[in-house]
Structure formats: C-alpha cells, structure tokens
Amino acid sequence: MKAGGLSITLIESPDIRIIGVGEGTWPTMRSTLEKMGVSETALFRECDAAFKQGGRFTGWMTGAEDDAYYHPLMVPQGFTQVNLVPHWLRGGQGVGKGVSFCDFVTPQGRLCDEGLAPKTITHGEYRALANYAYHLDAGKFAPFLARHCTDKLGVRHVLADVVQVNQRESGDIESVLTKQVGEIHGDLFIDCSGFQALLIGKTLGVGFKECGDVLFCDTALAVQVPFDSPDEPMASQTIATAHEAGWTWDICLPTRRGVGYVYSSRHQSEESARETLLRYIGPEHKDLPVRKIPIRAGHRETFWKGNCVAVGLASGFLEPLESSAIVLVELSAKLLAEQMPACREVMDIIAKRFNEVTLYRFGRIVDFLKLHYVLTKRTDTAFWRDNVDPATVPDRLRDLLTLWKYQSPWFFDELDRLEEVFPAASYQYVLYGMGFETEVAPEDTADTALAASRFLRENERITGEMRARLPKNRELLNKIYEYGLQPV
Ligand SMILES: Cc1cc2nc3c(=O)[nH]c(=O)nc-3n(C[C@H](O)[C@H](O)[C@H](O)COP(=O)(O)OP(=O)(O)OC[C@H]3O[C@@H](n4cnc5c(N)ncnc54)[C@H](O)[C@@H]3O)c2cc1C
C-alpha cells in the first residue's frame, strides 16, 4: 500500500494459530470498525457477532443467590452535569428506594434483563438507542479483518513463519527472515506475535512486569457450548460468575456460547477447576473439549523500543475480566496511526509518548480489575480472602478507595487523560454495584437537586420508551441477516 506514503505488510504464520478466545469487546470497537470502513452487516453475518451491552457480575460480593450487579455500557443519565451517586445513596428522594444503582441511573440493566437488543433494524450501521459492543467468534473475526485490510486497505498479507530477526548495529530491527519467502525489510516493526513476543521480548530483550501479585488468575479453561435449539434466547451481556478461586466468563453468540473458567492455580488444582467449569456448564456437556490456556498477568516494561512497537498479547495481558485487551489493541493502533513517525529522527520522541500512555493504561486497567476483587465480602475461600489483603492492592487504588469513602468518583476524576479505558462511570457501577459505602452530605443544593430529579425522570421515560421499542437480540439478528443494516 502507498496511501500516505506508507506500505504495510502483515506477516502471519500459516501454522501457529491465533489465541482465538478474545470474544468480548468494548464499545470502542464500533468506532474502530466504522473508521476502517468495515460493514457492520458483514460483521454480523460473517463473524457470528452479537450485541454486548455490559457485564453482569454474579457472586462477586457475597456469593449468595441474589448477589448480582450490572456494569452497563451507557453512562448514567446527565453524567457530565450532575453526579447521581449521592442521590441514590440518600434513597433517591423517594425514586431510588430499593432500586439498584444501575437501574436508578440507566435503562441498560433492564434491557439486559429482558434480552433486548440496543437498536432496531431502522438504525443505521453502528448507530443505536443504547450503547453497545460485540460478542464475536474470534476465530472468524481475525480472518474477516485480514480480508478487509487486504481487499480494501491495500495491506499486503504474507503467510510465512518468521525464523530470524536481523538487527542493525544500533539495535534497530533491519529485517525479519521468513521460512517461506526469505527476508522482509521494514522501517517500523509491529510485534503482534502474541504471548511469545518474538521481537519486543525475545529479540530486543525488553523486560516483563509481572502483575500476578495483584491479579491472581493465571490459568483459563475454555470451552464452546452448543445451544440446545437454534432459536434459544440470547443474553445481551457477558455473564461473569465468581467461583471458589476465580470466575467464569459466559459469552453468548448466535450459534453457541463461549465459556471459560479463569482461576488461580495457587488456590485451586486443575482437576478441581475442571469440576468447577463442568458444574457451571452442566454435566450434559462433560465430553466437550476444554482448552487450557496459561496466563502470565503482566506487561512489557516498555512497549516501543527502537523501531519496534508491541501491540496485543506481545505487549502484555492481565486477565479476561472486563474485556480490556482488544480495546488496548484498538487504542494502540489508533495512537500509532495518528502519530506515525515521519522519519527515524522523530521515532524516539513518539516512542516515549506511546510508552507513557500505554504504561498508564495498563496501570489503570490493573486498578480497575483489582477493584472487582478487593470489594468482595466473601471469606469462603483463601482466594477471596487473599484478594482483600492490602499488600495486594496497588497504592493508587488504595488511595482512591480512601477518597471514595468521602466522595464518589465522577466526571472530573477522568480528566487527567484523554481516552481513559475505564471512565469514572465504570468505577461508579462497580463500586455501588458491590455495595461500597460513601458518606454523603444529608442534602443537596437546590439547583443540583433540581437537575438530579430532571435526569431521574428522564431515565424512567427513556427506559419505558426503549423497552417498548427494542426487539429481542435474536429477532434483530435474524432481520440483519435477511435485510442488512443501512450503511452510514
Ligand atoms: C483466556 C483469554 C481470554 C480472553 N478474553 C478476552 C476478551 O474477552 N476480550 C478481550 O478484549 N480480550 C480477551 N483476551 C485477549 C485477546 O484474545 C487478545 O488481546 C487478542 O486476541 C489479540 O491477540 P494477539 O493478536 O496479540 O495474539 P494471537 O491471537 O496469539 O496472534 C499471534 C499471531 O502471531 C503469529 N505468529 C506467532 N509467531 C509467529 C512467527 N514466528 N512467524 C509469523 N507469525 C507468527 C500467529 O500466527 C498469530 O497470527 C483473552 C485472552 C485470553 C488468554
């Protein structure tokens, strides 16, 4: 390709499979795909994609039957103008009594309860009434994107194994030697080689910062569960269920569920973990093949060194909770595209920026993931007891938890960085979904009280309207297969 003076070559091994398990995404995926010119209709038709409107967390707080909360993808009503947390904590001036924080401020939990889609067939591609991301088949999505990039964006796709990396005296990468097509030269090398980190780790020797002392899960057992009937109702959210030494993800696609148990091998044996997984999916599925995937929670110390930048698993991975990995790929790709160095002379300056931002993002994701564990009141197993040990909580998160006892996180807390992966709204949903207590003043000023009651009424109105208008997930997907969505 020679658009903007750039030519891009994607080198991919014909034999080494992609990891193939990242099936929950973040709403950023919509703008990423739209910007790339991907047809959303084709995505639904070819990647077994479905709508995701958030996460439902069951068993994380007490482990009791009724222990569940939502982290939806819509921000609370009027989020940039008024913080509704204090109103909810005070009992919502009558409106919020006994209502979950999520239902108090957004329709999305109720949409998920009813299995409703976030849009109708008359909404154009990527447009919607309710914010959404996707659940999709990772095995279909990767070749779908590769086809789009080669057919429409002029990327050259070479199926070959990199067997050697050649460096210049300066340490920069000169070329990669492949088994099938010989040497391939480049000015900038993007390491997308997955966990093995062929360029950034093995060749350039960039260190790895372990995060296993904070996030304990180090093994995943993944399985694909077929539906009993092809028209089974579809969940609108990822279901994250806590167990004795970890949690299961449950992702609903149109043709199957993707389920996995992520656990700490320090706290549970593999045999017992397999039993936990089987208990979750049901004994009728005992013969389904289960894939074991070791996870080393952590990330590279730097992500861009010399003329090599790591993206995806090569840059690091924490754990699947809250689908935070593919969003980082998107943000890194965006940053790289927007800041593409014009020449080698400026590369180190841009690399420094990239490293600062990516390190910051990894740090904030560690904090946000740990939040889910540290707020637990479960004491039934060592896994949950160890998770609340203050020594395992990052300093910044510890400080914030102290601050949030007296003021709730809000809009201004996310102003320190643009494109925060998890904004203050996400913190609100998890904190108050898990029963965190923040002391609030007994009363509001008159103008905030007025604004709050306006947004609460608005939330009720929108909730009613959406419930009346929105179809069920499967109903909308069937229409998309048949008619397609209007391209925008
Ligand atoms: C258990 C688990 C669950 C996850 N769930 C989620 C989730 O729900 N949401 C989310 O956002 N993320 C999730 N992730 C992370 C997500 O899967 C990845 O971030 C995403 O798939 C990107 O992977 P990748 O392309 O970096 O690596 P891979 O998919 O491993 O791809 C590596 C590529 O490098 C190529 N390659 C390797 N060696 C060579 C070589 N020598 N020569 C040429 N090519 C080579 C391979 O052929 C392959 O194409 C999960 C990860 C795990 C482990």
Side-chain angles (χ1 to χ4, degrees):
M1 183 180 80
K2 278 283 172 196
L6 287 179
S7 71
I8 300 174
T9 303
L10 166 65
I11 308 169
E12 186 177 17
S13 165
D15 302 315
I16 304 171
R17 287 176 50 198
I18 58 162
I19 189 94
V21 276
E23 302 198 319
T25 63
W26 199 237
T28 43
M29 184 56 85
R30 277 160 60 207
S31 45
T32 299
L33 295 178
E34 187 177 2
K35 204 177 227 172
M36 289 171 66
V38 170
S39 150
E40 194 183 31
T41 300
L43 175 83
F44 283 113
R45 287 179 179 160
E46 295 175 39
C47 300
D48 215 10
F51 300 104
K52 167 182 167 179
Q53 296 187 64
R56 185 168 198 271
F57 292 82
T58 62
W60 288 73
M61 196 166 67
T62 61
E65 282 283 294
D66 62 347
D67 171 11
Y69 72 95
Y70 278 109
H71 171 194
L73 300 181
M74 288 171 78
V75 297
Q77 282 297 325
F79 186 64
T80 55
Q81 291 164 65
V82 64
N83 181 2
L84 292 175
V85 169
H87 299 266
W88 177 74
L89 287 169
R90 276 185 217 115
Q93 299 157 331
V95 191
K97 291 245 183 309
V99 174
S100 70
F101 176 67
C102 172
D103 287 349
F104 191 66
V105 298
T106 169
Q108 205 148 32
R110 281 171 281 186
L111 304 186
C112 289
D113 282 339
E114 295 176 24
L116 296 175
K119 65 198 278 176
T120 70
I121 193 69
T122 58
H123 285 97
E125 293 195 328
Y126 304 112
R127 305 294 177 264
L129 279 181
N131 195 14
Y132 68 92
Y134 308 102
H135 289 150
L136 41 79
D137 184 326
K140 293 181 177 166
F141 186 51
F144 171 82
L145 281 185
R147 272 196 307 279
H148 177 82
C149 292
T150 48
D151 295 351
K152 307 263 172 66
L153 304 179
V155 171
R156 187 174 147 231
H157 189 187
V158 176
L159 284 176
D161 289 289
V162 172
V163 287
Q164 188 183 305
V165 182
N166 301 316
Q167 287 175 269
R168 298 195 186 111
E169 241 168 56
S170 65
D172 276 10
I173 296 173
E174 165 96 53
S175 63
V176 290
L177 181 68
T178 66
K179 194 163 86 184
Q180 293 84 345
V181 298
E183 208 175 347
I184 299 178
H185 288 260
D187 299 313
L188 178 66
F189 289 81
I190 302 176
D191 187 348
C192 305
S193 62
F195 279 136
Q196 59 171 311
L198 206 57
L199 308 184
I200 198 86
K202 285 196 178 137
T203 305
L204 300 180
V206 171
F208 188 82
K209 176 162 180 357
E210 305 274 353
C211 298
D213 51 340
V214 178
L215 299 169
F216 304 155
C217 290
D218 62 3
T219 314
L221 298 173
V223 61
Q224 298 187 351
V225 182
F227 285 132
D228 291 337
S229 80
D231 52 0
E232 236 171 79
M234 293 175 61
S236 304
Q237 72 283 351
T238 303
I239 301 163
T241 305
H243 301 282
E244 54 269 53
W247 62 280
T248 42
W249 77 76
D250 189 339
I251 285 180
C252 186
L253 304 186
T255 57
R256 63 161 169 87
R257 284 154 61 210
V259 179
Y261 181 38
V262 200
Y263 68 97
S264 157
S265 66
R266 193 155 56 85
H267 294 90
Q268 190 175 20
S269 69
E270 185 179 331
E271 193 189 348
S272 161
R274 283 178 183 269
E275 282 164 18
T276 304
L277 178 65
L278 189 60
R279 202 168 56 235
Y280 181 79
I281 60 176
E284 67 278 21
H285 297 302
K286 68 177 177 6
D287 296 325
L288 290 175
V290 173
R291 211 174 127 210
K292 180 180 169 187
I293 306 163
I295 296 170
R296 187 179 169 204
H299 55 81
R300 292 286 144 197
E301 278 159 2
T302 53
F303 309 92
W304 190 327
K305 184 175 177 190
N307 64 344
C308 172
V309 50
V311 173
L313 298 177
S315 69
F317 180 62
L318 299 168
E319 67 141 295
L321 191 64
E322 293 282 11
S323 304
S324 63
I326 297 173
V327 57
L328 266 188
V329 174
E330 296 171 63
L331 292 172
S332 293
K334 185 164 178 264
L335 188 57
L336 195 54
E338 286 169 4
Q339 297 276 310
M340 182 57 69
C343 59
R344 182 64 186 87
E345 196 188 347
V346 296
M347 205 179 272
D348 294 341
I349 303 169
I350 292 167
K352 189 162 171 271
R353 285 185 187 172
F354 186 96
N355 284 328
E356 273 172 20
V357 172
T358 310
L359 191 65
Y360 173 85
R361 285 181 176 149
F362 264 105
R364 297 300 65 75
I365 294 172
V366 171
D367 287 346
F368 186 62
L369 300 190
K370 182 67 178 181
L371 184 72
H372 295 66
Y373 294 100
V374 81
L375 296 178
T376 193
K377 295 189 172 57
R378 287 181 70 143
T379 52
D380 52 320
T381 60
F383 175 79
W384 294 102
R385 289 193 299 273
D386 289 352
N387 253 303
V388 297
D389 177 351
T392 71
V393 183
D395 292 346
R396 185 179 183 274
L397 178 62
R398 207 168 34 229
D399 284 352
L400 286 170
L401 286 166
T402 306
L403 181 66
W404 293 334
K405 283 188 200 160
Y406 306 99
Q407 66 182 68
S408 61
W410 189 37
F411 190 51
F412 296 106
D413 295 64
E414 59 176 307
L415 281 186
D416 50 343
R417 292 280 172 150
L418 283 173
E419 296 190 316
E420 197 77 36
V421 178
F422 296 107
S426 292
Y427 282 88
Q428 289 190 348
Y429 287 125
V430 175
L431 281 168
Y432 303 109
M434 291 192 76
F436 187 80
E437 287 176 21
T438 300
E439 263 183 37
V440 288
E443 275 178 31
D444 264 324
T445 57
D447 56 339
T448 354
L450 199 68
S453 64
R454 179 158 64 86
F455 287 118
L456 293 174
R457 277 200 312 276
E458 184 65 1
N459 186 45
E460 283 311 297
R461 188 187 67 73
I462 291 174
T463 303
E465 196 181 293
M466 288 188 176
R467 289 169 77 185
R469 257 186 91 184
L470 291 170
K472 299 271 189 199
N473 284 308
R474 199 175 284 284
E475 189 188 328
L476 178 57
L477 287 172
N478 287 338
K479 280 194 181 150
I480 295 173
Y481 301 147
E482 192 171 351
Y483 307 111
L485 291 162
Q486 190 69 28
V488 287

